[in-house]
Amino acid sequence: MATADARRHLREQPLGVTVLLTIVGYALVLGTFLLDVPIYPDLTNAQVNLLSHVIAVINTTATVVLTLGWYWIRAGEVEKHRLAMVSGFVLILGFLVVYLLKVGGGGTKEFVGPQNVYYAYLVMLAIHIILSIVSVPVVLYALVLGLSHTPAELRQTAHARVGRIAAGAWILSLVLGVVTYAMLNHIFDYEFAALLVPLV
């Protein structure tokens, strides 16, 4: 009964559900960056490094899964597409948990390398972050539509159009995230820096 009610609400109010989930997601991230909320354990530098590697594995896996999902829908394999996109979303939720734990518990790392490479790194990181931020509501909207409608019903919605934008932005953001991870952790060097900004 509760599942049926939730699905009905998703079907009737996909935009409202998307807005609510987007606000919750943004609040979690902004709260971690801006507030010193004592919910995260203090992490050692080694633990921060380990979590960085875990994030890279999650993002690489999500990139492969989402790319397969894009391929499968173009090949008309709807169920494989749905499974891939839901799996990609679950991976991104896992990323969010690990990322917030890393940032909230141990700060972040700053790139140390040649100046011209540093600027290229910053540009890629900025594009990665911007795409991550703006793709949240688009991804959520496509997901809400996909989970609340049958494949036949989806043809009458904006799912395909929104999904193309969501998948493209999402995959590009993930790829840039993996590239900047490799530059920071394996190709060049880094130094640890606290990221939390006190409001007072």
Side-chain angles (χ1 to χ4, degrees), residues 47-61:
Q47 289 170 322
V48 171
N49 278 334
L50 176 62
L51 293 179
S52 297
H53 303 324
V54 170
I55 287 170
V57 169
I58 291 172
N59 285 348
T60 302
T61 306

Side-chain angles (χ1 to χ4, degrees), residues 71-129:
Y71 168 78
W72 282 326
I73 197 60
R74 294 179 69 81
E77 299 190 53
V78 175
E79 285 309 312
K80 286 183 178 180
H81 166 76
R82 184 182 292 229
L83 179 61
M85 294 324 214
V86 170
S87 299
F89 185 72
V90 169
L91 285 166
I92 294 307
L93 288 179
F95 155 80
L96 184 60
V97 169
V98 176
Y99 178 75
L100 292 178
L101 178 63
K102 179 177 87 87
V103 171
T108 188
K109 297 186 275 191
E110 292 182 356
F111 182 87
V112 177
Q115 197 74 6
N116 58 338
V117 177
Y118 174 69
Y119 290 130
Y121 169 83
L122 285 183
V123 168
M124 287 188 285
L125 185 62
I127 294 169
H128 162 70
I129 291 169

Side-chain angles (χ1 to χ4, degrees), residues 70 131 134-135 138-139 159-171:
W70 194 332
L131 286 174
V134 300
S135 69
V138 186
V139 167
H159 177 77
R161 186 174 65 254
V162 171
R164 280 191 292 272
I165 296 167
W170 204 359
I171 290 168

